[in-house]
Amino acid sequence: MGAYVPDACAIGGCVKGYVQPAHTASAVGEVAAENIFNQEAHYANPTCVYMEPEAASMGLTEEVCKAQGFSYKMGKFPLTANGKSLILNGDEDLVKIIAGGEHREILGMHIVGPRATDLIGRGTLAIGTGCTVDEIIVTIHSHATVTESICETASTVEKRAIHIKN
Ligand SMILES: Cc1cc2nc3c(=O)[nH]c(=O)nc-3n(C[C@H](O)[C@H](O)[C@H](O)COP(=O)(O)OP(=O)(O)OC[C@H]3O[C@@H](n4cnc5c(N)ncnc54)[C@H](O)[C@@H]3O)c2cc1C
């Protein structure tokens, strides 16, 4: 049983009521150190589930956008249309991107499928740096990789997909 200590702050696994994976615990430790030196710290924090298939998520969902009245565009790409995913025994998996309705900045990325916990690094970087759908589309993704699905998903936001019907 923990004790409440006034004016004491806690980070990591001992904080009650939140999912606290190792990368979050580590990053929040850095935030705490930066805050102690009066520096503002912003970190993008993905959620990963290491099951089979893997799942990973970063940023806003459609449900949150609707509830908050945000203007958004959504793109979805089935991993059955990604060769490397099929090689890795991917099934009915998918990548989903939520982008701002006006400027198409990436607001959310959600992935279920092979290497989802690796792929989410792209979403974390995109959201952390304010990257747009267009910037992902013009980034050439090497073939044959599961990362191609990120570019394909960005293309579906603009109805410019090449390997599925728009
Ligand atoms: C089975 C399992 C699997 C996990 N898998 C993953 C995963 O795949 N990916 C992921 O991101 N996260 C995973 N986690 C979560 C991850 O381990 C924690 O988020 C992370 O370790 C939290 O780091 P921390 O430094 O806050 O705490 P800890 O790593 O728990 O470190 C706390 C330290 O404090 C020490 N300590 C405790 N009490 C005292 C005391 N009174 N005096 C001195 N020292 C003390 C402990 O011995 C320990 O060394 C997993 C956790 C478990 C239990």
Side-chain angles (χ1 to χ4, degrees):
M1 288 286 286
Y4 175 68
V5 182
D7 300 325
C9 296
I11 57 165
C14 65
V15 179
K16 203 175 160 187
Y18 298 93
V19 177
Q20 296 283 351
H23 54 261
T24 307
S26 177
V28 175
E30 290 176 38
V31 170
E34 287 175 35
N35 288 169
I36 286 166
F37 289 99
N38 292 321
Q39 288 180 19
E40 218 177 302
H42 298 283
Y43 283 72
N45 183 26
T47 298
C48 297
V49 184
Y50 302 90
M51 57 184 188
E52 181 64 44
E54 292 185 4
S57 178
M58 174 70 213
L60 299 184
T61 61
E62 277 197 278
E63 289 75 13
V64 170
C65 286
K66 282 178 189 157
Q68 311 255 340
F70 293 149
S71 157
Y72 73 94
K73 296 264 285 181
M74 187 274 289
K76 230 176 357 183
F77 184 78
L79 288 178
T80 45
N82 175 271
K84 190 62 172 282
S85 175
L86 292 176
I87 290 169
L88 295 169
N89 294 325
D91 200 356
E92 300 290 319
D93 305 316
L94 61 86
V95 178
K96 188 172 179 180
I97 287 178
I98 313 290
E102 192 179 349
H103 303 296
R104 306 285 193 272
E105 71 280 18
I106 309 294
L107 299 175
M109 190 178 289
H110 312 282
I111 310 169
V112 178
R115 307 220 170 128
T117 59
D118 294 309
L119 293 183
I120 200 61
R122 302 246 159 161
T124 309
L125 183 65
I127 293 168
T129 58
C131 180
T132 65
V133 159
D134 276 347
E135 286 167 326
I136 293 183
I137 292 173
V138 298
T139 304
I140 297 174
H141 288 64
S142 46
H143 179 76
T145 63
V146 191
T147 54
E148 289 174 281
S149 63
I150 304 290
C151 188
E152 298 264 17
T153 311
S155 301
T156 67
V157 174
E158 302 290 20
K159 306 217 178 310
R160 288 172 53 190
I162 291 176
H163 295 106
I164 59 168
K165 280 187 184 168
N166 287 295

